[in-house]
Amino acid sequence: MIRVLLVDDQSMVRTGFRTILESEDGITVVGEAENGQVAIDRALDLAPDVICMDVQMPVMDGLESTAEIVRRGAAGAVLILTTFDRDDFLFQALAAGASGFLLKTAEAEQLIDAVTALAGGDGLLSPEVTRRVIERSVRSPESTTPAAPELELLTGRELEVLHLVAGGLSNSEIAGRLFVGEATVKTHVSNLLTKLDIRDRIHVVIFAYQNGVVGK
């Protein structure tokens, strides 16, 4: 059962998200919070698998709350949900440690898919903003620096997996490409995150582009 914490200052929005998520077998909403400060306490107390976080809220906004939740090591991957399709929110959210970003205009199925992906350890961005993440990362000054020394820590197979993750392939697709079991792929991805000191797959993709692992 995937345990979800909903964070939004509008009760009707929380009710709508709860209705959508609990219509799916295997997902339950274990708590709600009306602002970022309450969200920190609920995240620590309830240990959800996924935290659906609004951005603009009173008392403490979602970006500050996300950063504090990550800093305290609370359980739960943070999915930022916002009506604002703005690059500054997107990159601040990723910098704060969010594992996903989805617009509130997304379809109900996309919300369910996003929660399921984050609960499974995958990072997620909505399709319409993923390309902007990559393009901005490639344009950034960091993209012209020498390749990170952490790359030398990777085995040949881990480099293969890094290429495929950066290409947007899922674990099952990578397993099919490499003729190995999905559990083996999960182990390789976990090793990548550890060796590169990266939180999730989204940041693995950014790392790969910034360091020339895949074409720019």
Side-chain angles (χ1 to χ4, degrees):
M1 184 67 71
I2 299 172
R3 296 161 48 82
V4 178
L5 171 64
L6 300 177
V7 186
D8 196 292
D9 61 322
Q10 298 184 48
S11 61
M12 289 183 64
V13 171
R14 298 197 304 272
T15 299
F17 287 158
R18 178 185 284 271
T19 300
I20 291 170
L21 292 172
E22 293 194 333
S23 70
E24 182 75 6
D25 290 341
I27 298 179
T28 184
V29 175
V30 296
E32 300 182 11
E34 66 274 17
N35 62 60
Q37 183 61 63
V38 175
I40 296 170
D41 296 334
R42 296 278 163 80
L44 293 169
D45 291 341
L46 299 173
D49 299 302
V50 178
I51 303 167
C52 293
M53 180 79 73
D54 189 23
V55 173
Q56 293 191 319
M57 295 178 289
V59 183
M60 179 183 288
D61 67 32
L63 300 176
E64 186 178 354
S65 179
T66 296
E68 185 64 13
I69 286 171
V70 172
R71 187 189 71 80
R72 294 197 189 187
V78 177
L79 173 66
I80 297 291
L81 291 162
T82 179
T83 55
F84 301 97
D85 186 9
R86 288 173 44 179
D87 282 351
D88 55 344
F89 283 165
L90 169 61
F91 291 100
Q92 287 177 58
L94 292 174
S99 296
F101 186 101
L102 194 68
L103 298 180
K104 288 182 178 178
T105 53
E107 299 294 331
E109 293 79 8
Q110 289 178 289
L111 175 59
I112 291 170
D113 289 345
V115 167
T116 302
L118 265 65
D122 291 337
L124 178 139
L125 296 177
S126 56
E128 62 267 29
V129 297
T130 300
R131 180 171 296 277
R132 298 211 310 269
V133 173
I134 301 305
E135 289 176 347
R136 175 158 170 171
S137 297
V138 171
R139 290 199 308 267
S140 71
E142 300 164 87
S143 65
T144 62
T145 59
E150 291 87 348
L151 284 170
E152 298 181 5
L153 301 175
L154 304 183
T155 66
R157 180 46 61 95
E158 287 166 353
L159 281 171
E160 285 185 89
V161 173
L162 176 58
H163 275 273
L164 296 174
V165 169
L169 275 67
S170 67
N171 284 352
S172 61
E173 290 170 332
I174 294 172
R177 184 74 62 88
L178 298 180
F179 303 103
V180 298
E182 192 168 345
T184 300
V185 175
K186 289 181 179 179
T187 298
H188 288 316
V189 172
S190 177
N191 289 341
L192 284 176
L193 297 177
T194 299
K195 290 183 178 181
L196 300 178
D197 193 23
I198 294 175
R199 179 177 175 83
D200 54 46
R201 292 172 79 104
I202 291 300
H203 292 86
V204 168
V205 175
I206 294 172
F207 174 92
Y209 274 83
Q210 287 180 335
N211 289 279
V213 176
V214 290
K216 299 177 180 180

